[in-house]
Structure formats: structure tokens, C-alpha cells
Amino acid sequence: GAKVYITTPGSQGFILQTVDIITGEVRDLYILEDSSRKEPYATVSPDENWVAYRGGQENNRLYLVRKN
């Protein structure tokens, strides 16, 4: 299925979600802890088991997280 990845602000950080473009179903994937507030961009592996994103106060950190 075709989908789009989006980030939305949440109480614990930005939430990385997928949106199915046919059905409109939204699914939560990860909480991007300590992500950049200005640019919470994330890159997701093809199997959706890994996500990489920038964070820290100066955007000087790179996080690589495995889905539980």
C-alpha cells in the first residue's frame, strides 16, 4: 500500500506516523524523543524496523532507533 510518513507533536516528543493514502488510516510508529523542535525529520528503513533522526538542542545529535 502507498503511504506517507508524517510527524505530529505529542506530550513525549514528536510522533512519527504513517498515513495510508487510500484509506486515510493513521498508524503510530515511533516517539521521536529529544528530536529537533524545528525540523523533526526522520528517515525510516524499508521494513519500518529502524528510524534515524536529528535532535538535541543544537540539532547536533543523530539518533538511530530500533522499533520494539
Side-chain angles (χ1 to χ4, degrees):
K3 57 188 159 192
V4 180
Y5 294 96
I6 62 170
T7 55
T8 55
S11 61
Q12 297 177 356
F14 279 90
I15 302 167
L16 178 64
Q17 300 171 307
T18 61
V19 179
D20 184 300
I21 62 170
I22 303 298
T23 66
E25 177 187 4
V26 178
R27 185 170 54 103
D28 293 351
L29 290 180
Y30 300 94
I31 295 176
L32 304 177
E33 296 178 17
D34 196 31
S35 68
S36 167
R37 293 186 184 273
K38 291 169 59 175
E39 299 173 340
Y41 306 133
T43 300
V44 181
S45 66
D47 62 4
E48 293 185 348
N49 285 326
W50 293 90
V51 63
Y53 63 95
R54 291 184 356 195
Q57 289 182 338
E58 303 292 323
N59 282 341
N60 60 352
R61 296 179 186 213
L62 177 64
Y63 295 91
L64 180 62
V65 181
R66 181 166 171 69
K67 186 175 179 183
N68 293 335

